[in-house]
mmCIF file of all heavy atoms in Angstrom:
data_model
loop_
_atom_site.group_PDB
_atom_site.id
_atom_site.type_symbol
_atom_site.label_atom_id
_atom_site.label_comp_id
_atom_site.label_asym_id
_atom_site.label_seq_id
_atom_site.Cartn_x
_atom_site.Cartn_y
_atom_site.Cartn_z
ATOM 1 N N VAL A 1 -6.959 -3.101 6.156
ATOM 2 C CA VAL A 1 -7.680 -1.855 5.783
ATOM 3 C C VAL A 1 -9.050 -2.087 5.542
ATOM 4 O O VAL A 1 -9.341 -2.418 4.326
ATOM 5 C CB VAL A 1 -6.910 -1.084 4.710
ATOM 6 C CG1 VAL A 1 -7.594 0.209 4.389
ATOM 7 C CG2 VAL A 1 -5.442 -0.863 5.116
ATOM 8 N N TYR A 2 -10.063 -2.138 6.337
ATOM 9 C CA TYR A 2 -11.426 -2.356 6.174
ATOM 10 C C TYR A 2 -12.284 -1.186 6.706
ATOM 11 O O TYR A 2 -12.104 -0.856 7.850
ATOM 12 C CB TYR A 2 -11.857 -3.729 6.791
ATOM 13 C CG TYR A 2 -11.208 -4.855 6.132
ATOM 14 C CD1 TYR A 2 -10.409 -5.658 6.927
ATOM 15 C CD2 TYR A 2 -11.421 -5.189 4.964
ATOM 16 C CE1 TYR A 2 -9.812 -6.701 6.411
ATOM 17 C CE2 TYR A 2 -10.876 -6.361 4.329
ATOM 18 C CZ TYR A 2 -10.053 -7.079 5.051
ATOM 19 O OH TYR A 2 -9.457 -8.172 4.474
ATOM 20 N N PRO A 3 -13.227 -0.729 5.984
ATOM 21 C CA PRO A 3 -13.300 -0.884 4.505
ATOM 22 C C PRO A 3 -12.252 -0.190 3.791
ATOM 23 O O PRO A 3 -11.580 0.697 4.395
ATOM 24 C CB PRO A 3 -14.623 -0.340 4.100
ATOM 25 C CG PRO A 3 -14.920 0.679 5.268
ATOM 26 C CD PRO A 3 -14.201 0.207 6.519
ATOM 27 N N LEU A 4 -11.968 -0.452 2.465
ATOM 28 C CA LEU A 4 -10.942 0.151 1.851
ATOM 29 C C LEU A 4 -11.185 1.653 1.940
ATOM 30 O O LEU A 4 -12.249 2.118 1.763
ATOM 31 C CB LEU A 4 -10.868 -0.205 0.358
ATOM 32 C CG LEU A 4 -10.448 -1.654 0.140
ATOM 33 C CD1 LEU A 4 -10.502 -1.976 -1.427
ATOM 34 C CD2 LEU A 4 -8.920 -1.766 0.610
ATOM 35 N N GLN A 5 -10.099 2.403 2.294
ATOM 36 C CA GLN A 5 -10.215 3.883 2.444
ATOM 37 C C GLN A 5 -10.382 4.527 1.057
ATOM 38 O O GLN A 5 -10.962 5.593 1.013
ATOM 39 C CB GLN A 5 -8.903 4.487 3.195
ATOM 40 C CG GLN A 5 -8.793 3.904 4.535
ATOM 41 C CD GLN A 5 -7.448 4.269 5.180
ATOM 42 O OE1 GLN A 5 -6.654 4.972 4.553
ATOM 43 N NE2 GLN A 5 -7.281 3.887 6.429
ATOM 44 N N SER A 6 -9.911 3.976 0.131
ATOM 45 C CA SER A 6 -10.039 4.445 -1.407
ATOM 46 C C SER A 6 -9.935 3.277 -2.263
ATOM 47 O O SER A 6 -9.405 2.275 -1.794
ATOM 48 C CB SER A 6 -9.051 5.628 -1.589
ATOM 49 O OG SER A 6 -7.829 5.090 -1.996
ATOM 50 N N PRO A 7 -10.207 3.565 -3.508
ATOM 51 C CA PRO A 7 -10.012 2.447 -4.497
ATOM 52 C C PRO A 7 -8.517 2.056 -4.665
ATOM 53 O O PRO A 7 -8.282 0.964 -5.184
ATOM 54 C CB PRO A 7 -10.595 3.033 -5.825
ATOM 55 C CG PRO A 7 -11.431 4.149 -5.455
ATOM 56 C CD PRO A 7 -10.884 4.769 -4.124
ATOM 57 N N THR A 8 -7.645 2.903 -4.277
ATOM 58 C CA THR A 8 -6.214 2.548 -4.505
ATOM 59 C C THR A 8 -5.460 2.324 -3.163
ATOM 60 O O THR A 8 -4.266 2.148 -3.113
ATOM 61 C CB THR A 8 -5.487 3.790 -5.156
ATOM 62 O OG1 THR A 8 -5.734 4.901 -4.444
ATOM 63 C CG2 THR A 8 -6.057 3.916 -6.560
ATOM 64 N N SER A 9 -6.257 2.158 -2.065
ATOM 65 C CA SER A 9 -5.591 1.736 -0.810
ATOM 66 C C SER A 9 -5.206 0.299 -0.795
ATOM 67 O O SER A 9 -6.045 -0.487 -1.521
ATOM 68 C CB SER A 9 -6.389 2.150 0.374
ATOM 69 O OG SER A 9 -7.533 1.547 0.396
ATOM 70 N N PRO A 10 -4.291 -0.111 -0.133
ATOM 71 C CA PRO A 10 -3.921 -1.575 -0.021
ATOM 72 C C PRO A 10 -5.030 -2.241 0.854
ATOM 73 O O PRO A 10 -5.766 -1.509 1.582
ATOM 74 C CB PRO A 10 -2.586 -1.618 0.710
ATOM 75 C CG PRO A 10 -2.464 -0.310 1.355
ATOM 76 C CD PRO A 10 -3.324 0.632 0.710
ATOM 77 N N ASP A 11 -5.055 -3.637 0.769
ATOM 78 C CA ASP A 11 -6.097 -4.266 1.490
ATOM 79 C C ASP A 11 -5.495 -4.475 2.939
ATOM 80 O O ASP A 11 -6.321 -4.813 3.841
ATOM 81 C CB ASP A 11 -6.354 -5.677 0.893
ATOM 82 C CG ASP A 11 -6.802 -5.528 -0.465
ATOM 83 O OD1 ASP A 11 -7.864 -4.812 -0.724
ATOM 84 O OD2 ASP A 11 -6.247 -6.009 -1.514
ATOM 85 N N GLY A 12 -4.296 -4.259 3.145
ATOM 86 C CA GLY A 12 -3.696 -4.318 4.480
ATOM 87 C C GLY A 12 -2.214 -3.664 4.401
ATOM 88 O O GLY A 12 -1.741 -3.603 3.323
ATOM 89 N N GLU A 13 -1.815 -3.142 5.568
ATOM 90 C CA GLU A 13 -0.530 -2.409 5.504
ATOM 91 C C GLU A 13 0.191 -2.589 6.900
ATOM 92 O O GLU A 13 -0.518 -2.611 8.032
ATOM 93 C CB GLU A 13 -0.630 -1.009 5.163
ATOM 94 C CG GLU A 13 -1.675 -0.217 6.111
ATOM 95 C CD GLU A 13 -1.922 1.124 5.593
ATOM 96 O OE1 GLU A 13 -2.137 1.303 4.337
ATOM 97 O OE2 GLU A 13 -2.007 2.086 6.401
ATOM 98 N N LEU A 14 1.476 -2.779 6.926
ATOM 99 C CA LEU A 14 2.320 -2.812 8.071
ATOM 100 C C LEU A 14 3.285 -1.794 7.900
ATOM 101 O O LEU A 14 3.821 -1.587 6.838
ATOM 102 C CB LEU A 14 2.920 -4.192 8.231
ATOM 103 C CG LEU A 14 1.933 -5.285 8.687
ATOM 104 C CD1 LEU A 14 2.618 -6.617 8.807
ATOM 105 C CD2 LEU A 14 1.110 -5.048 9.917
ATOM 106 N N ILE A 15 3.701 -1.038 9.061
ATOM 107 C CA ILE A 15 4.790 -0.113 8.892
ATOM 108 C C ILE A 15 5.802 -0.493 9.938
ATOM 109 O O ILE A 15 5.497 -0.836 11.160
ATOM 110 C CB ILE A 15 4.226 1.303 9.242
ATOM 111 C CG1 ILE A 15 3.096 1.574 8.172
ATOM 112 C CG2 ILE A 15 5.354 2.414 9.187
ATOM 113 C CD1 ILE A 15 2.237 2.806 8.631
ATOM 114 N N VAL A 16 7.057 -0.607 9.495
ATOM 115 C CA VAL A 16 8.160 -1.105 10.335
ATOM 116 C C VAL A 16 9.171 0.008 10.336
ATOM 117 O O VAL A 16 9.484 0.687 9.250
ATOM 118 C CB VAL A 16 8.779 -2.305 9.740
ATOM 119 C CG1 VAL A 16 9.826 -2.906 10.610
ATOM 120 C CG2 VAL A 16 7.707 -3.405 9.438
ATOM 121 N N GLY A 17 9.736 0.315 11.486
ATOM 122 C CA GLY A 17 10.848 1.338 11.636
ATOM 123 C C GLY A 17 10.317 2.852 11.526
ATOM 124 O O GLY A 17 9.162 3.073 12.075
ATOM 125 N N THR A 18 11.010 3.757 10.982
ATOM 126 C CA THR A 18 10.619 5.070 10.879
ATOM 127 C C THR A 18 10.700 5.629 9.469
ATOM 128 O O THR A 18 11.059 4.779 8.556
ATOM 129 C CB THR A 18 11.737 5.972 11.770
ATOM 130 O OG1 THR A 18 12.950 5.969 10.932
ATOM 131 C CG2 THR A 18 11.834 5.474 13.079
ATOM 132 N N SER A 19 10.207 6.759 9.198
ATOM 133 C CA SER A 19 10.195 7.267 7.879
ATOM 134 C C SER A 19 11.757 7.568 7.332
ATOM 135 O O SER A 19 11.953 7.774 6.234
ATOM 136 C CB SER A 19 9.420 8.631 7.750
ATOM 137 O OG SER A 19 9.974 9.533 8.600
ATOM 138 N N ARG A 20 12.614 7.665 8.181
ATOM 139 C CA ARG A 20 14.026 7.802 7.884
ATOM 140 C C ARG A 20 14.716 6.411 7.635
ATOM 141 O O ARG A 20 15.702 6.316 6.877
ATOM 142 C CB ARG A 20 14.777 8.590 8.904
ATOM 143 C CG ARG A 20 14.327 10.027 8.922
ATOM 144 C CD ARG A 20 15.059 10.803 9.912
ATOM 145 N NE ARG A 20 14.463 12.028 10.344
ATOM 146 C CZ ARG A 20 14.538 13.191 9.590
ATOM 147 N NH1 ARG A 20 15.197 13.147 8.485
ATOM 148 N NH2 ARG A 20 13.964 14.249 9.984
ATOM 149 N N ALA A 21 14.192 5.407 8.235
ATOM 150 C CA ALA A 21 14.876 4.095 8.049
ATOM 151 C C ALA A 21 13.792 3.077 8.423
ATOM 152 O O ALA A 21 13.687 2.655 9.564
ATOM 153 C CB ALA A 21 16.004 3.905 9.044
ATOM 154 N N GLY A 22 12.973 2.667 7.466
ATOM 155 C CA GLY A 22 11.928 1.703 7.682
ATOM 156 C C GLY A 22 11.362 1.158 6.386
ATOM 157 O O GLY A 22 12.075 1.265 5.378
ATOM 158 N N ALA A 23 10.200 0.636 6.594
ATOM 159 C CA ALA A 23 9.516 0.073 5.339
ATOM 160 C C ALA A 23 7.982 0.086 5.513
ATOM 161 O O ALA A 23 7.472 0.015 6.558
ATOM 162 C CB ALA A 23 9.951 -1.522 5.192
ATOM 163 N N PHE A 24 7.383 0.292 4.400
ATOM 164 C CA PHE A 24 5.985 0.220 4.375
ATOM 165 C C PHE A 24 5.578 -1.043 3.549
ATOM 166 O O PHE A 24 6.097 -1.195 2.430
ATOM 167 C CB PHE A 24 5.373 1.471 3.659
ATOM 168 C CG PHE A 24 3.833 1.479 3.475
ATOM 169 C CD1 PHE A 24 3.000 1.678 4.317
ATOM 170 C CD2 PHE A 24 3.432 1.054 2.146
ATOM 171 C CE1 PHE A 24 1.625 1.661 4.203
ATOM 172 C CE2 PHE A 24 1.999 0.986 1.911
ATOM 173 C CZ PHE A 24 1.183 1.204 2.997
ATOM 174 N N ILE A 25 4.853 -1.975 4.233
ATOM 175 C CA ILE A 25 4.476 -3.266 3.484
ATOM 176 C C ILE A 25 3.163 -3.183 3.213
ATOM 177 O O ILE A 25 2.139 -2.944 4.088
ATOM 178 C CB ILE A 25 4.777 -4.440 4.493
ATOM 179 C CG1 ILE A 25 6.264 -4.301 5.009
ATOM 180 C CG2 ILE A 25 4.527 -5.647 3.754
ATOM 181 C CD1 ILE A 25 6.513 -5.270 6.114
ATOM 182 N N ALA A 26 2.687 -3.251 1.900
ATOM 183 C CA ALA A 26 1.383 -3.190 1.496
ATOM 184 C C ALA A 26 0.927 -4.605 1.083
ATOM 185 O O ALA A 26 1.659 -5.264 0.377
ATOM 186 C CB ALA A 26 1.177 -2.250 0.251
ATOM 187 N N PHE A 27 -0.130 -5.014 1.452
ATOM 188 C CA PHE A 27 -0.739 -6.364 1.161
ATOM 189 C C PHE A 27 -1.985 -6.263 0.371
ATOM 190 O O PHE A 27 -2.820 -5.369 0.570
ATOM 191 C CB PHE A 27 -1.140 -7.180 2.521
ATOM 192 C CG PHE A 27 -0.075 -7.327 3.406
ATOM 193 C CD1 PHE A 27 0.411 -6.439 4.337
ATOM 194 C CD2 PHE A 27 0.659 -8.696 3.323
ATOM 195 C CE1 PHE A 27 1.470 -6.710 5.229
ATOM 196 C CE2 PHE A 27 1.673 -8.890 4.179
ATOM 197 C CZ PHE A 27 2.127 -7.904 5.139
ATOM 198 N N TYR A 28 -2.085 -7.102 -0.662
ATOM 199 C CA TYR A 28 -3.172 -6.945 -1.593
ATOM 200 C C TYR A 28 -3.900 -8.354 -1.720
ATOM 201 O O TYR A 28 -3.195 -9.387 -1.476
ATOM 202 C CB TYR A 28 -2.813 -6.519 -2.986
ATOM 203 C CG TYR A 28 -2.230 -5.211 -2.939
ATOM 204 C CD1 TYR A 28 -0.876 -4.974 -2.889
ATOM 205 C CD2 TYR A 28 -3.085 -3.977 -2.961
ATOM 206 C CE1 TYR A 28 -0.414 -3.738 -2.767
ATOM 207 C CE2 TYR A 28 -2.559 -2.791 -2.947
ATOM 208 C CZ TYR A 28 -1.174 -2.599 -2.740
ATOM 209 O OH TYR A 28 -0.691 -1.298 -2.734
ATOM 210 N N THR A 29 -5.118 -8.509 -1.994
ATOM 211 C CA THR A 29 -5.825 -9.710 -2.275
ATOM 212 C C THR A 29 -5.531 -10.442 -3.513
ATOM 213 O O THR A 29 -5.596 -11.672 -3.619
ATOM 214 C CB THR A 29 -7.414 -9.547 -2.210
ATOM 215 O OG1 THR A 29 -7.706 -8.544 -3.196
ATOM 216 C CG2 THR A 29 -7.778 -9.196 -0.753
ATOM 217 N N THR A 30 -4.951 -9.708 -4.598
ATOM 218 C CA THR A 30 -4.549 -10.399 -5.673
ATOM 219 C C THR A 30 -3.167 -9.806 -6.206
ATOM 220 O O THR A 30 -2.917 -8.583 -5.964
ATOM 221 C CB THR A 30 -5.508 -10.146 -6.842
ATOM 222 O OG1 THR A 30 -5.596 -8.704 -7.234
ATOM 223 C CG2 THR A 30 -6.937 -10.715 -6.537
ATOM 224 N N ALA A 31 -2.436 -10.584 -6.870
ATOM 225 C CA ALA A 31 -1.135 -10.103 -7.368
ATOM 226 C C ALA A 31 -1.378 -8.983 -8.574
ATOM 227 O O ALA A 31 -0.580 -8.044 -8.627
ATOM 228 C CB ALA A 31 -0.310 -11.229 -7.962
ATOM 229 N N THR A 32 -2.419 -9.093 -9.198
ATOM 230 C CA THR A 32 -2.822 -8.159 -10.257
ATOM 231 C C THR A 32 -2.940 -6.759 -9.682
ATOM 232 O O THR A 32 -2.514 -5.767 -10.190
ATOM 233 C CB THR A 32 -4.085 -8.536 -11.039
ATOM 234 O OG1 THR A 32 -3.803 -9.795 -11.660
ATOM 235 C CG2 THR A 32 -4.474 -7.569 -12.091
ATOM 236 N N ARG A 33 -3.614 -6.669 -8.520
ATOM 237 C CA ARG A 33 -3.924 -5.426 -7.832
ATOM 238 C C ARG A 33 -2.585 -4.845 -7.241
ATOM 239 O O ARG A 33 -2.262 -3.674 -7.379
ATOM 240 C CB ARG A 33 -4.776 -5.673 -6.619
ATOM 241 C CG ARG A 33 -5.809 -4.619 -6.469
ATOM 242 C CD ARG A 33 -6.967 -4.960 -5.562
ATOM 243 N NE ARG A 33 -6.938 -4.185 -4.331
ATOM 244 C CZ ARG A 33 -7.123 -2.882 -4.237
ATOM 245 N NH1 ARG A 33 -7.361 -2.246 -5.324
ATOM 246 N NH2 ARG A 33 -7.108 -2.329 -3.085
ATOM 247 N N ALA A 34 -1.689 -5.720 -6.805
ATOM 248 C CA ALA A 34 -0.308 -5.309 -6.305
ATOM 249 C C ALA A 34 0.433 -4.699 -7.457
ATOM 250 O O ALA A 34 1.047 -3.603 -7.201
ATOM 251 C CB ALA A 34 0.428 -6.494 -5.700
ATOM 252 N N VAL A 35 0.391 -5.302 -8.558
ATOM 253 C CA VAL A 35 1.110 -4.735 -9.820
ATOM 254 C C VAL A 35 0.451 -3.453 -10.167
ATOM 255 O O VAL A 35 1.243 -2.432 -10.367
ATOM 256 C CB VAL A 35 1.107 -5.700 -10.984
ATOM 257 C CG1 VAL A 35 1.621 -5.100 -12.253
ATOM 258 C CG2 VAL A 35 1.814 -7.020 -10.629
ATOM 259 N N GLN A 36 -0.776 -3.364 -10.254
ATOM 260 C CA GLN A 36 -1.492 -2.091 -10.704
ATOM 261 C C GLN A 36 -1.225 -0.973 -9.757
ATOM 262 O O GLN A 36 -1.115 0.182 -10.261
ATOM 263 C CB GLN A 36 -3.011 -2.367 -10.922
ATOM 264 C CG GLN A 36 -3.319 -3.296 -11.998
ATOM 265 C CD GLN A 36 -4.902 -3.556 -11.981
ATOM 266 O OE1 GLN A 36 -5.514 -3.557 -10.962
ATOM 267 N NE2 GLN A 36 -5.321 -3.922 -13.178
ATOM 268 N N LEU A 37 -1.142 -1.159 -8.546
ATOM 269 C CA LEU A 37 -1.108 -0.233 -7.530
ATOM 270 C C LEU A 37 0.307 0.278 -7.070
ATOM 271 O O LEU A 37 0.504 1.141 -6.275
ATOM 272 C CB LEU A 37 -1.982 -0.473 -6.308
ATOM 273 C CG LEU A 37 -3.491 -0.541 -6.609
ATOM 274 C CD1 LEU A 37 -4.403 -0.953 -5.449
ATOM 275 C CD2 LEU A 37 -3.985 0.772 -7.205
ATOM 276 N N GLU A 38 1.322 -0.555 -7.473
ATOM 277 C CA GLU A 38 2.718 -0.176 -7.165
ATOM 278 C C GLU A 38 3.025 1.290 -7.490
ATOM 279 O O GLU A 38 3.642 1.979 -6.699
ATOM 280 C CB GLU A 38 3.671 -1.062 -7.980
ATOM 281 C CG GLU A 38 5.062 -0.841 -7.578
ATOM 282 C CD GLU A 38 6.100 -1.838 -8.243
ATOM 283 O OE1 GLU A 38 5.747 -3.034 -8.431
ATOM 284 O OE2 GLU A 38 7.239 -1.340 -8.421
ATOM 285 N N PRO A 39 2.591 1.862 -8.628
ATOM 286 C CA PRO A 39 2.950 3.366 -8.780
ATOM 287 C C PRO A 39 2.256 4.193 -7.736
ATOM 288 O O PRO A 39 2.778 5.220 -7.477
ATOM 289 C CB PRO A 39 2.359 3.630 -10.229
ATOM 290 C CG PRO A 39 2.287 2.289 -10.809
ATOM 291 C CD PRO A 39 1.978 1.328 -9.746
ATOM 292 N N VAL A 40 1.139 3.865 -7.283
ATOM 293 C CA VAL A 40 0.465 4.644 -6.283
ATOM 294 C C VAL A 40 1.230 4.714 -4.941
ATOM 295 O O VAL A 40 1.363 5.688 -4.331
ATOM 296 C CB VAL A 40 -0.962 4.209 -6.079
ATOM 297 C CG1 VAL A 40 -1.767 4.912 -4.969
ATOM 298 C CG2 VAL A 40 -1.767 4.272 -7.343
ATOM 299 N N VAL A 41 1.700 3.460 -4.630
ATOM 300 C CA VAL A 41 2.614 3.312 -3.376
ATOM 301 C C VAL A 41 3.822 4.247 -3.574
ATOM 302 O O VAL A 41 4.098 4.964 -2.653
ATOM 303 C CB VAL A 41 2.961 1.947 -3.169
ATOM 304 C CG1 VAL A 41 4.011 1.866 -2.017
ATOM 305 C CG2 VAL A 41 1.773 0.946 -2.784
ATOM 306 N N ARG A 42 4.470 4.122 -4.656
ATOM 307 C CA ARG A 42 5.625 5.001 -4.894
ATOM 308 C C ARG A 42 5.333 6.488 -4.782
ATOM 309 O O ARG A 42 5.980 7.330 -4.109
ATOM 310 C CB ARG A 42 6.170 4.691 -6.221
ATOM 311 C CG ARG A 42 6.906 3.458 -6.398
ATOM 312 C CD ARG A 42 7.373 3.283 -7.889
ATOM 313 N NE ARG A 42 7.966 1.999 -8.101
ATOM 314 C CZ ARG A 42 9.189 1.699 -7.924
ATOM 315 N NH1 ARG A 42 10.024 2.610 -7.483
ATOM 316 N NH2 ARG A 42 9.583 0.468 -8.178
ATOM 317 N N ARG A 43 4.176 6.910 -5.428
ATOM 318 C CA ARG A 43 3.802 8.322 -5.428
ATOM 319 C C ARG A 43 3.285 8.954 -4.169
ATOM 320 O O ARG A 43 3.739 10.110 -3.867
ATOM 321 C CB ARG A 43 2.569 8.463 -6.509
ATOM 322 C CG ARG A 43 2.169 9.856 -6.650
ATOM 323 C CD ARG A 43 1.097 10.072 -7.796
ATOM 324 N NE ARG A 43 -0.201 9.552 -7.281
ATOM 325 C CZ ARG A 43 -0.887 8.660 -7.922
ATOM 326 N NH1 ARG A 43 -0.481 8.181 -9.084
ATOM 327 N NH2 ARG A 43 -1.996 8.117 -7.446
ATOM 328 N N ASN A 44 2.739 8.116 -3.316
ATOM 329 C CA ASN A 44 2.256 8.570 -2.013
ATOM 330 C C ASN A 44 3.324 8.463 -0.898
ATOM 331 O O ASN A 44 3.050 8.744 0.213
ATOM 332 C CB ASN A 44 0.953 7.888 -1.702
ATOM 333 C CG ASN A 44 -0.133 8.282 -2.474
ATOM 334 O OD1 ASN A 44 -0.067 9.324 -3.075
ATOM 335 N ND2 ASN A 44 -1.104 7.529 -2.679
ATOM 336 N N ALA A 45 4.495 8.014 -1.222
ATOM 337 C CA ALA A 45 5.524 7.685 -0.130
ATOM 338 C C ALA A 45 6.042 9.130 0.438
ATOM 339 O O ALA A 45 6.243 10.013 -0.301
ATOM 340 C CB ALA A 45 6.722 6.999 -0.748
ATOM 341 N N PRO A 46 6.354 9.062 1.783
ATOM 342 C CA PRO A 46 6.859 10.336 2.266
ATOM 343 C C PRO A 46 8.340 10.469 1.995
ATOM 344 O O PRO A 46 9.033 9.570 1.562
ATOM 345 C CB PRO A 46 6.755 10.052 3.888
ATOM 346 C CG PRO A 46 6.850 8.645 3.934
ATOM 347 C CD PRO A 46 6.056 8.018 2.788
#
C-alpha cells in the first residue's frame, strides 16, 4: 500500500477467499505498528 492511504492503513495487504470465508492479511513494517493498529483492522472488517 504505497503511499499509505491513511495513517492507519497497513503497509501491505493480501485478501484470500471471500468475505464469507476468507482472510485479510495486513503487513506492517514494525511489530509495534501491527499491535497498535489491530483494533483498526477489527473495526473496519466487513
Side-chain angles (χ1 to χ4, degrees):
V1 179
Y2 292 113
L4 288 178
Q5 294 173 359
S6 83
T8 57
S9 65
D11 301 304
E13 56 190 40
L14 294 177
I15 300 164
V16 185
T18 71
S19 63
R20 295 186 193 274
F24 173 79
I25 307 169
F27 297 86
Y28 299 94
T29 53
T30 68
T32 300
R33 220 166 114 66
V35 170
Q36 290 174 337
L37 295 177
E38 183 179 323
V40 177
V41 171
R42 289 177 187 271
R43 183 178 66 234
N44 290 335

